[in-house]
């Protein structure tokens, strides 16, 4: 049975579990947002009702304490006092999306703060996007999740750093527990699919082949042309789509290829990872789209070598590449580069205030049950401590079981040697 | 076999007394508590280890028991496992016969054939024990051993026809000789013996399990004329064993075109989208989450 490159890609988890159509993505985000909203509202209402009950009970006892609801659980519900009467103002799907996008950008900053290599940061960003496809920022705050995801990405990309070291760099209030606590939640959210297919190595291969083409040593499929013909055609490529074809020296064309590669790589690293491109397109299409943005005639020529322009696939693929390219080029950071400075600054400031507002809004609509992930994580563990001590019957049962095991072990191996025995009594 | 008389029931007391006195040097265990008796399976005469050391240490010698005169080697002496040396001898003979006549029930077509074979084995054994037709029986046993050896070699030669030793064994004509003897000595052949079947030849291992990766969009070249590639080729870190530049290029190219012709918009829409189902994980995990409390799934809504 024969397999080609596409079949190999189809077997990846990225294609099987993490590729979507645009419509599916939108539906999924809307649904998650809706469910999270319902949940947040229900949980907040429940907590408020309970607090009101407590207050009544306290009043009936006759304590002189003022009723203000900032009791023991006040720390768990941010701004509970301020909006105790009003309905919770939840984020919409679009706003959630904006927050996730913002934190993807902050992931880049976090990565450069730790000076992590590129692949760690890119993987972390993709993990974050995947995670928030099935979770809402209202349930798990993006900040906590991002910290942990970045740490997990270092492990997955074989750039190991110790948790304590990582926690030290993360800020004053960050403990190792708070970094490790959401790991299990995240792994579930990622469905244990840790392989991210990035287009970075792929674009290197494409660059490699183009250089071979211009040197006249290309051996791959070339639409029936010989290596020399490919070279000749390449030297005559127009610099622009509309510009006339002029023959250029080999050196110049090679420089042009290097330049296109540099631009495209930069686009991939800084912009493509921040978009939904990984969900909607394959890595092969992503790098070609970035290359298309960088140097269109060159990319089109390269494509025509790989696929004859007469084939129906060619037009379709080109359509896909153009839509991917427009997705990348419509990103704020991409459009910013072509704007004059003051215009750019103005837009950036506008964007920042918008983001600030959203983050503030998020603070007020978090799911009170999922605020303290460290505590949740501890509660899930085997010797969960509830209140002060373990449930008495459980503790007793465990102690008995432990003693039983020890006895069994002693019967077989003999009892443990005392410290005095080793010295010689 | 002077001790044969000792088998009679009434003589058991005498033998016990006898057992404590060496028949050669007449020294008694009473005087030497560490004394140990040894026998040699050539004649089964008991003597104490001091005598063995004294007589046979320097080389082969005659058995000192009167009327025996067999030549014994020091190497052959050992402690008797059984007090009754007649039993010891029988066990030794049975061991020897079983080593040669070692067919199993599976080797025969019917149970009847196997039982006939066992009958023959028993006959040979008893002939040897009771010294009836001793020479003929010995010869038969040797012949059978030779035939079996040839058979084993034939099996080997079928599997590995290039092995010269097997050829030699065949060319020497052991098998035909054995067959000739078979014809001459009819009571030697066994009925219903299954034909030896050589195990089927193993197919060469295919790590891809029948799959074949055929590149459609690229050809891996021997060399690429790019500066970073040239730089890496001279970098000692990339020259260590197990690191292949070619492999890196192959992987990069595979990634460059992995999914080149995969149109997600069409393919994902076409398939029945199980991945969009928010019930995370496989069905098993979902079932486990429902049935058992110890699976701690955080439901994604």
């Amino acid at each position: 049975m024969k397999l080609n490159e596409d079949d190999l890609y189809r077997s990846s988890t990225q294609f099987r579990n993490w590729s979507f159509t645009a419509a599916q993505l939108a539906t999924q985000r809307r649904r998650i947002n809706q469910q999270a909203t319902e949940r947040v509202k229900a949980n907040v209402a429940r907590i408020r009702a309970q607090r009101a009950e407590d207050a009544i009970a306290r009043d009936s006892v006759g304590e002189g304490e003022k009723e203000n609801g900032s009791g023991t659980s006040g720390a768990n519900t941010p701004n509970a006092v301020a909006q105790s009467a009003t309905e919770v103002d939840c984020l919409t799907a679009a706003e959630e999306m904006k927050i996730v996008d913002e934190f993807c950008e902050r992931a880049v900053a976090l990565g450069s703060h730790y000076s992590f290599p590129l692949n760690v940061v890119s993987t972390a960003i993709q993990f974050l996007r995947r995670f928030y496809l099935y979770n809402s920022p209202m349930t798990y705050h993006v900040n906590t999740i991002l910290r942990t995801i970045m740490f997990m990405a270092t492990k997955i990309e074989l750039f190991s750093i110790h948790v304590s070291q990582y926690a030290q760099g993360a800020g004053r209030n960050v403990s190792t527990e708070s970094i490790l606590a959401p790991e299990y939640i995240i792994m579930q959210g990622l469905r244990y699919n840790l392989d991210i297919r990035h287009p970075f190595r792929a674009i290197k291969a494409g660059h490699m082949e183009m250089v071979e083409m211009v040197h006249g040593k290309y051996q791959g499929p070339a639409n029936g042309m010989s290596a020399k013909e490919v070279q000749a055609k390449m030297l005559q490529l127009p610099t622009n789509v509309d510009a006339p074809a002029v023959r250029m020296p080999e050196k110049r064309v090679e420089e042009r290829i290097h330049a296109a590669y540099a631009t495209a790589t930069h686009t991939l690293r800084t912009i493509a990872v921040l978009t939904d491109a990984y969900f909607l397109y394959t890595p092969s299409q992503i790098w070609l789209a970035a290359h298309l943005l960088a140097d269109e005639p060159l990319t089109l020529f390269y494509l025509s070598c790989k696929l004859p322009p007469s084939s129906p696939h060619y037009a379709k693929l080109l359509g896909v590449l153009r839509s991917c390219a427009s997705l990348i080029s419509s990103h704020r950071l991409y459009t910013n580069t072509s704007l004059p400075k003051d215009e750019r600054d103005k837009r950036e400031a506008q964007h920042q205030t918008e983001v600030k507002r959203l983050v503030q809004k998020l603070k007020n609509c978090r799911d009170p049950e999922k605020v303290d992930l460290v505590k949740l994580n501890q509660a899930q563990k085997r010797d969960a401590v509830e209140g002060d001590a373990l449930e008495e019957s459980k503790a007793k049962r465990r102690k008995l079981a432990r003693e039983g095991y020890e006895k069994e072990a002693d019967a077989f191996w003999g009892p443990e040697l005392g410290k005095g025995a080793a010295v010689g009594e | 076999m002077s001790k044969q008389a000792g088998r009679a029931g009434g003589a058991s007391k005498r033998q016990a007394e006898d057992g404590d006195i060496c028949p050669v040097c007449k020294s008694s265990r009473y005087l030497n508590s560490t004394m140990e008796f040894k026998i040699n399976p050539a004649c089964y005469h008991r003597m104490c280890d001091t005598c063995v050391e004294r007589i046979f240490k320097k080389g082969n010698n005659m058995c000192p028991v009167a009327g025996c005169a067999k030549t014994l080697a020091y190497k052959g002496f050992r402690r008797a496992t059984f007090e009754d040396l007649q039993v010891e001898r029988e066990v030794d003979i049975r061991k020897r016969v079983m080593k040669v006549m070692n067919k199993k029930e599976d080797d025969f077509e019917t149970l009847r054939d196997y039982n006939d074979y066992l009958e023959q084995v028993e006959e040979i054994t008893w002939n040897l024990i009771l010294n009836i037709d001793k020479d003929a029986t010995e010869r038969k046993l040797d012949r059978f051993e030779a035939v079996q050896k040839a058979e084993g070699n034939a099996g080997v030669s079928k599997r590995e026809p290039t092995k010269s030793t097997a050829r030699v064994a065949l060319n020497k004509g052991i098998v035909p000789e054995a067959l000739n003897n078979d014809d001459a000595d009819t009571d030697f052949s066994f009925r219903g013996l299954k034909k030896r079947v050589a195990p089927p030849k193993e197919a060469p291992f295919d790590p891809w399990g029948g799959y074949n990766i055929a590149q459609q969009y690229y050809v891996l070249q021997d060399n690429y004329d790019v500066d970073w590639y040239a730089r890496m080729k001279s970098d000692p870190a990339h020259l260590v064993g197990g690191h292949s530049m070619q492999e890196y290029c192959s992987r990069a190219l595979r990634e460059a075109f992995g999914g080149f012709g995969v149109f997600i918009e069409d393919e994902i829409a076409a398939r029945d989208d199980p991945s969009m189902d928010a019930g995370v994980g496989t069905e098993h995990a979902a079932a486990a989450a429902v049935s058992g409390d110890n699976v701690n799934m955080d439901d994604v809504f």
Side-chain angles (χ1 to χ4, degrees):
Chain A
M1 195 150 129
K2 281 204 170 180
L3 291 176
N4 62 15
E5 299 90 324
D6 292 345
D7 297 324
L8 290 179
Y9 181 70
R10 281 194 190 97
S11 69
S12 69
T13 51
Q14 180 157 326
F15 178 77
R16 282 185 292 137
N17 298 337
W18 298 102
S19 289
F20 306 96
T21 65
Q24 278 176 332
L25 269 185
T27 327
Q28 175 67 11
R29 284 188 172 131
R30 222 175 314 121
R31 196 168 64 190
I32 290 298
N33 174 257
Q34 203 180 347
Q35 284 167 329
T37 307
E38 279 167 19
R39 197 174 247 218
V40 167
K41 283 182 178 168
N43 282 340
V44 168
R46 192 171 48 73
I47 283 178
R48 275 182 198 158
Q50 200 182 355
R51 200 170 301 149
E53 250 173 49
D54 287 353
I56 291 166
R58 229 179 296 143
D59 281 354
S60 65
V61 168
E63 282 188 1
E65 203 182 315
K66 258 189 216 168
E67 193 267 309
N68 59 6
S70 60
T72 47
S73 57
N76 282 353
T77 49
N79 285 31
V81 192
Q83 22 163 278
S84 55
T86 54
E87 176 80 330
V88 191
D89 184 17
C90 287
L91 296 171
T92 64
E95 285 171 337
E96 279 187 353
M97 190 58 218
K98 265 187 192 159
I99 286 183
V100 173
D101 280 343
E102 166 63 18
F103 275 85
C104 287
E105 284 175 39
R106 288 193 193 177
V108 178
L110 185 65
S112 59
H113 164 66
Y114 282 111
S115 53
F116 283 154
L118 169 86
N119 53 350
V120 173
V121 179
S122 320
T123 302
I125 291 173
Q126 286 313 309
F127 281 165
L128 196 72
R129 297 190 81 83
R130 284 181 179 189
F131 181 79
Y132 281 108
L133 202 55
Y134 288 98
N135 289 283
S136 162
M138 292 189 281
T139 323
Y140 300 110
H141 197 281
V142 201
N143 208 11
T144 30
I145 297 294
L146 170 61
R147 247 187 254 131
T148 309
I149 276 188
M150 185 64 84
F151 176 62
M152 289 166 79
T154 61
K155 293 195 266 187
I156 287 145
E157 292 292 340
L158 305 181
F159 191 80
S160 292
I161 170 172
H162 197 266
V163 209
S164 55
Q165 204 184 341
Y166 181 82
Q168 242 171 21
R172 257 178 301 157
N173 304 330
V174 184
S175 61
T176 52
E177 286 82 25
S178 71
I179 284 172
L180 296 178
E183 274 196 325
Y184 184 50
I185 296 168
I186 292 169
M187 280 304 274
Q188 271 177 211
L190 298 177
R191 301 174 175 200
Y192 303 93
N193 296 157
L194 300 176
D195 181 26
I196 306 260
R197 305 268 174 128
H198 289 295
F200 306 133
R201 196 179 293 114
I203 197 172
K204 218 162 187 177
H207 172 241
M208 216 160 67
E209 283 210 314
M210 282 183 225
V211 172
E212 284 301 292
M213 279 178 175
V214 85
H215 287 163
K217 293 177 194 161
Y218 175 69
Q219 293 167 10
N223 202 11
M225 292 183 282
S226 71
K228 288 291 165 205
E229 283 169 329
V230 170
Q231 184 190 20
K233 275 211 168 172
M234 204 160 205
L235 294 179
Q236 282 179 355
L237 281 180
T239 48
N240 222 319
V241 190
D242 308 320
V246 193
R247 198 186 149 78
M248 281 198 288
E250 192 179 313
K251 201 83 192 153
R252 285 277 301 282
V253 180
E254 199 181 328
E255 271 165 24
R256 177 185 173 181
I257 290 170
H258 289 324
Y261 166 69
T263 322
T265 312
H266 188 255
T267 314
L268 286 180
R269 287 178 180 179
T270 53
I271 294 155
V273 282
L274 300 172
T275 64
D276 279 339
Y278 282 58
F279 291 136
L280 300 170
Y281 306 99
T282 64
S284 173
Q285 290 160 357
I286 295 171
W287 83 258
L288 281 167
H291 212 274
L292 197 69
L293 284 174
D295 193 335
E296 188 159 340
L298 188 63
T299 317
L300 288 180
F301 173 75
Y302 182 69
L303 267 185
S304 69
C305 287
K306 298 295 177 184
L307 262 184
S310 54
S311 85
H313 262 351
Y314 183 82
K316 197 172 171 188
L317 181 66
L318 203 58
V320 169
L321 290 187
R322 284 203 196 284
S323 73
C324 180
S326 76
L327 174 76
I328 294 172
S329 62
S330 65
H331 192 271
R332 183 176 54 85
L333 291 180
Y334 190 87
T335 48
N336 270 359
T337 51
S338 58
L339 291 174
K341 192 176 180 303
D342 42 340
E343 172 74 12
R344 192 195 319 160
D345 289 348
K346 209 177 90 191
R347 282 201 190 184
E348 200 60 15
Q350 208 177 348
H351 174 77
Q352 288 307 331
T353 48
E354 168 77 2
V355 165
K356 226 174 183 178
R357 186 185 67 79
L358 287 177
V359 173
Q360 192 58 41
K361 191 178 173 188
L362 173 62
K363 237 181 210 171
N364 296 333
C365 62
R366 293 183 60 190
D367 188 344
E369 276 200 343
K370 306 275 185 185
V371 169
D372 197 346
L373 292 178
V374 177
K375 216 174 229 172
L376 274 178
N377 184 40
Q378 273 171 358
Q380 280 181 339
K381 285 183 178 166
R382 189 167 156 267
D383 278 324
V385 179
E386 276 176 43
D388 282 336
L390 211 59
E391 222 175 294
E392 202 169 311
S393 61
K394 257 188 192 170
K396 207 170 176 186
R397 201 167 57 227
R398 268 182 207 161
K399 196 183 164 203
L400 279 178
R402 192 164 50 235
E403 279 172 358
Y405 294 141
E406 274 168 12
K407 224 181 239 170
E408 250 174 55
D410 284 354
F412 188 73
W413 299 107
E416 206 173 320
L417 286 176
K419 270 181 190 163
V423 182
E425 280 146 74
Chain B
M1 294 271 159
S2 61
K3 281 284 173 292
Q4 273 178 24
R7 287 190 82 201
S12 67
K13 196 173 174 225
R14 225 200 89 200
Q15 189 174 359
E17 278 172 10
D18 224 35
D20 282 346
I21 295 169
C22 173
V24 180
C25 61
K26 308 295 182 198
S27 69
S28 160
R29 193 193 288 278
Y30 184 76
L31 298 171
N32 179 9
S33 59
T34 58
M35 192 162 79
E36 214 173 51
F37 285 97
K38 289 199 167 163
I39 52 143
N40 193 316
C43 64
Y44 291 96
H45 286 135
R46 276 153 45 94
M47 58 194 85
C48 72
D49 50 350
T50 329
C51 292
V52 172
E53 296 278 330
R54 181 169 51 86
I55 302 169
F56 298 100
K57 186 78 190 241
K58 284 192 178 149
N60 294 358
N61 209 338
M62 295 234 289
C63 181
V65 174
C68 177
K70 272 198 176 140
T71 310
L72 304 179
Y74 180 71
K75 204 173 72 177
F77 279 96
R78 60 178 163 87
R79 285 186 67 184
T81 315
F82 301 95
E83 194 183 3
D84 191 341
L85 293 175
Q86 206 60 12
V87 175
E88 180 84 27
R89 177 167 170 268
E90 186 174 333
V91 168
D92 284 347
I93 289 173
R94 281 189 182 278
K95 226 186 235 169
R96 193 182 139 218
V97 173
M98 290 309 286
K99 206 170 180 182
V100 179
M101 315 270 295
N102 54 6
K103 298 252 179 257
K104 287 188 214 137
E105 193 180 342
D106 295 345
D107 295 335
F108 291 89
E109 268 154 15
T110 62
L111 182 62
R112 177 64 206 254
D113 293 328
Y114 180 53
N115 284 335
D116 288 350
Y117 163 77
L118 288 181
E119 172 82 37
Q120 287 193 47
V121 172
E122 206 61 13
E123 208 179 304
I124 290 173
T125 314
W126 277 104
N127 279 352
L128 289 176
I129 290 170
L130 302 176
N131 288 330
I132 304 168
D133 281 346
K134 201 174 174 201
D135 291 346
T137 318
E138 289 275 7
R139 242 184 291 123
K140 206 196 271 181
L141 208 57
D142 289 347
R143 224 165 37 236
F144 179 71
E145 199 173 358
V147 170
Q148 245 187 346
K149 221 176 195 173
E151 250 178 30
N153 281 346
V156 168
S157 70
K158 251 178 222 164
R159 246 174 290 146
E160 295 160 48
T162 50
K163 250 206 173 148
S164 56
T165 50
R167 283 266 171 79
V168 171
L170 279 178
N171 292 344
K172 272 184 183 166
I174 289 175
V175 175
E177 187 197 312
L179 287 177
N180 287 343
N181 285 349
D182 234 13
D183 292 338
D185 200 355
T186 44
D187 58 11
F188 174 70
S189 66
F190 308 121
R191 262 182 301 124
L193 205 57
K194 277 183 195 163
K195 259 251 146 39
R196 246 182 113 93
V197 185
K201 209 180 169 199
E202 252 180 67
F205 175 66
D206 178 14
W208 299 107
Y211 285 97
N212 172 19
I213 296 175
Q215 301 111 9
Q216 196 178 336
Y217 305 115
Y218 68 90
V219 169
L220 183 65
Q221 295 177 206
D222 293 334
N223 186 30
Y224 288 91
D225 212 358
V226 197
D227 53 347
W228 58 262
Y229 191 79
R231 225 180 309 124
M232 272 208 256
K233 273 206 297 195
S234 59
D235 178 12
H238 291 93
L239 294 173
V240 291
H243 191 284
S244 155
M245 293 296 294
Q246 193 78 0
E247 194 51 45
Y248 175 83
C249 293
S250 162
R251 182 177 175 192
L253 282 162
R254 205 164 51 234
E255 280 185 15
F257 295 101
F260 185 68
V262 174
F263 300 106
I264 287 179
E265 195 77 21
D266 299 349
E267 293 194 16
I268 300 291
R271 82 177 171 203
D272 225 13
D273 51 1
S275 74
M276 287 303 285
D277 186 16
V280 161
T282 59
E283 280 171 33
H284 293 294
V290 170
S291 61
D293 295 335
N294 53 346
V295 177
N296 217 331
M297 289 294 279
D298 183 63
D299 62 318
V300 188
F301 309 117

